């Protein structure tokens, strides 16, 4: 198995990306890695080792660039070249911590969609208070989704949670403003009816915004607009609290002493909320494994992202999604 | 001025509601309060004092009841009776910490809408890292809002922030998945165009989910489905962190010692995040002041909710909204 890694994408590229690749191999990861980016920079960052090769690409799509424009205009971007490796069969998957829009655009332009899938969906993987991950989708791949798209999102996510996270019959919650089937707008009511009727799904029913982090269901499905706003809103609150804990509570001289006594507790909380192992997820619906991880990814998260890609390839996720869609449509 | 208080609504009713009413008067609040609820219970809770009267109502709409059904079926609910006082001119405003849906349903059924307003909107008031409040609306009053509804929401919220929170030319952000005007779905693109063209508004442009708590704009406007999911999602994260800080970090024996040293820092953080003064907001678009506060409200939040109602009456918020809508339509 070969996995192409966009070594120039993300806030801490290329150093942490290269370290993540080395870590993946050091921890026994079996896939060969192709690090895509400026060869000089990658060599300087220490990108050498068994099972690691470099593929030169001189350009990068910046975090704030317009993705499709950048990709169409420039042939030599790291994400473009890495995704092309998958298209040509020279790699089995691509992983990137870079501009999510660019990763999606590259995947859609170069790899296309799985037969039978109308629109792609992005997973936002979240820690829950139950100590397991929840998959929130669509986190922003598709605007103006209809109820049929949402049904497909639920099917794709079910296969993803089964295959990559070994969850048996993952439960699916439809994000809504209340529990009752008649809640929400036209889209949610129609989606509820479709999901209820889908016998291949383990549909739980409606869930609310606050239920996502409570881990009420393994999968939280919604349209891409709502999912994106919700994921970013929740992330915003996390930032405020992390900042408050760091600066307000443990910042002053007394706070620093408090911090010493609080070390075990802080460790406990951090490990409960640690989402490095599962924050990365493939872009679902694309005809190739393209794993998106967080722009803030450091080495450990990058290593985990590569593991997710490896698992998606090994468990034949794409085929499973294709089957799920064709069977249910029949 | 007279304000009707639903004394049976909320998790801590009637004791904390009564205490909040007493607190309001003790702090110099000038409005006369009519506490609506079971007279015996209210007397037992100490509802006596100058400027405080009791209006007997035997029934309550529970937090999980279907609001409209409950109101139609039972004539003697505290929120129904309290809202009727406003309808009859026996009170100038109603305040409730009870079932939000019931407060909305009572206001719409009994008071109706302001002339020119098509759909009502609920404000979710949030603390921001800038130390000021932001108004997130619609937090769930109207499903399937269109761009014209969103424009009206922005106008109503602008008057509310000016009048009740003394914010000059409050800035309005449209919640979207990115900054550029062409971002989002059909609804967001159409709303962006309308908001950009509204000269009476201080339109900032698009904002993202994470910008809400950063206080980028005074007002964050979106449709009622997205607003509800976002507000509840953010609240869910707050709960997780508050719980984590309490139990994981400061829970164990060492944590308890840490807690002593961290007291000043915790106080600082708590006061930065304290939203008692502004969490309460009127239901916008309704032809009467109906202030909704949090179901978890204790005395101090209840006192602040009454102050918000008082200020909305004193500053003639309803007239200002009516004028804003009729002028802009002309």
């Amino acid at each position: 198995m070969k996995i192409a890694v966009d070594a120039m994408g993300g806030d801490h590229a290329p150093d942490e990306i290269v370290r993540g690749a080395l870590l993946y191999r050091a921890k026994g990861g079996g896939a060969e890695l192709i690090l895509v980016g400026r060869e000089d920079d990658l060599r300087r960052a220490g990108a050498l080792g068994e099972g690691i090769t470099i593929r030169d690409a001189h350009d990068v799509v910046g975090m704030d660039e317009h993705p499709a424009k950048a990709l169409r205009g420039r042939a030599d971007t790291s994400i473009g070249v890495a995704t092309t490796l998958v298209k040509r069969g020279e790699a089995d998957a691509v992983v990137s911590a870079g501009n999510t829009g660019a990763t999606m655009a590259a995947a859609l332009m170069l790899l296309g969609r799985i037969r039978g899938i109308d629109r792609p969906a992005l997973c936002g993987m979240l820690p829950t208070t139950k100590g397991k991950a929840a998959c929130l989708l669509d986190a922003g791949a598709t605007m103006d989704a209809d109820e049929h798209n949402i049904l497909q999102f639920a099917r794709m996510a079910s296969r993803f949670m089964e295959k990559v996270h070994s969850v048996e019959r993952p439960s699916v919650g439809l994000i809504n403003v209340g529990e009752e089937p008649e809640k929400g707008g036209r889209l949610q009511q129609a989606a509820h009816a479709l999901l209820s009727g889908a016998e291949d799904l383990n549909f739980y029913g409606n869930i609310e915004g606050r239920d996502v982090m409570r881990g009420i269901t393994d999968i939280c499905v919604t349209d891409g607009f709502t999912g994106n706003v919700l994921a970013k809103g929740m992330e915003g609150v996390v930032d405020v609290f992390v900042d408050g804990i760091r600066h307000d509570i443990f910042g002053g001289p007394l706070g620093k002493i408090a911090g010493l006594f609080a070390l075990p507790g802080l460790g406990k909380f951090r490990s409960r909320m640690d989402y490095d192992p599962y924050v990365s997820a493939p872009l679902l619906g694309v005809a190739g494994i393209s794993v998106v991880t967080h722009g803030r990814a450091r080495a450990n998260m990058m290593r985990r992202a590569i593991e997710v890609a490896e698992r998606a390839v090994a468990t034949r996720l794409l085929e499973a999604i294709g089957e799920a869609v064709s069977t249910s449509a029949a």
Side-chain angles (χ1 to χ4, degrees), chain A:
Chain A
M1 191 189 307
K2 283 182 182 169
I3 297 174
V5 176
D6 170 7
M8 308 307 283
D11 299 342
H12 307 293
D15 290 29
E16 292 286 326
I17 310 299
V18 170
R19 281 188 52 215
L22 295 172
L23 191 61
Y24 166 81
R25 292 288 306 183
K27 295 277 182 185
E32 288 174 40
L33 305 182
I34 308 169
L35 301 186
V36 183
R38 292 191 199 102
E39 187 160 359
D40 295 351
D41 292 357
L42 299 189
R43 292 223 177 278
R44 208 173 303 128
L48 269 178
E50 208 198 305
I52 296 185
T53 54
I54 293 176
R55 174 68 177 252
D56 204 23
H58 278 255
D59 212 340
V60 186
V61 181
M63 291 306 259
D64 295 319
E65 276 192 89
H66 190 286
K69 243 184 254 175
L71 287 168
R72 284 205 193 90
R74 286 136 55 193
D76 199 32
T77 61
S78 56
I79 185 64
V81 171
T83 310
T84 302
L85 291 177
V86 179
K87 180 188 165 81
R88 291 198 190 135
E90 294 172 41
D92 300 285
V94 50
V95 178
S96 178
N99 183 322
T100 301
T103 306
M104 288 199 292
L108 285 167
M109 284 162 57
L110 296 166
L111 309 175
R113 280 171 282 122
I114 293 173
R115 197 189 172 87
I117 294 291
D118 299 312
R119 307 288 293 270
L122 186 65
C123 296
M125 298 298 293
L126 301 162
T128 72
T129 51
K130 290 205 175 150
K132 57 177 189 175
C135 169
L136 166 68
L137 86 166
D138 170 24
T142 294
M143 295 295 115
D144 293 320
D146 66 18
E147 60 272 25
H148 301 284
N149 299 142
I150 289 180
L151 175 62
Q152 286 193 343
F153 297 167
R155 290 202 159 113
M156 294 196 289
S158 294
R159 294 301 90 78
F160 163 62
M161 291 301 278
E162 275 168 16
K163 296 284 182 185
V164 175
H165 292 288
S166 307
V167 180
E168 254 183 80
R169 275 185 67 69
S171 54
V172 176
L174 174 66
I175 294 181
N176 207 330
V177 300
E179 280 175 27
E180 304 81 357
E182 74 274 12
K183 284 280 180 176
R186 283 184 298 266
L187 174 62
Q188 290 76 38
Q189 289 164 7
H192 190 283
L194 281 185
L195 291 165
S196 300
E199 286 175 11
D200 56 322
L201 293 177
N202 180 12
F203 183 50
Y204 168 90
N206 287 331
I207 57 171
E208 299 189 64
R210 66 170 74 89
D211 298 329
V212 174
M213 278 200 79
R214 289 184 188 163
I216 304 284
T217 55
D218 301 304
I219 295 162
C220 309
V221 72
T222 187
D223 65 281
F225 180 79
T226 306
N228 183 278
V229 168
L230 176 61
K232 285 180 183 162
M234 289 170 52
E235 201 178 319
V237 180
V238 171
D239 288 347
V240 166
F241 268 90
V242 168
D243 193 69
I245 290 173
R246 197 169 286 162
H247 296 111
D248 286 349
I249 302 180
F250 296 115
L254 281 174
K256 290 208 163 61
I257 301 172
L260 293 177
F261 287 101
L263 270 181
L266 279 165
K268 189 174 163 196
F269 185 59
R270 209 175 282 136
S271 72
R272 270 217 304 155
M273 289 291 110
D274 175 27
Y275 65 148
D276 272 19
Y278 46 77
V279 69
S280 314
L283 181 61
L284 295 175
V286 166
I289 300 294
S290 170
V291 168
V292 174
T293 189
H294 206 292
R296 294 179 190 169
R298 293 184 180 274
N300 195 51
M301 198 184 282
M302 205 58 210
R303 163 202 158 202
R304 298 296 198 166
I306 299 168
E307 287 173 359
V308 164
E310 180 196 323
R311 215 168 144 68
V313 174
T315 59
R316 306 179 67 80
L317 174 64
L318 296 182
E319 288 80 349
I321 289 176
E323 267 170 43
V325 176
S326 65
T327 316
S328 57

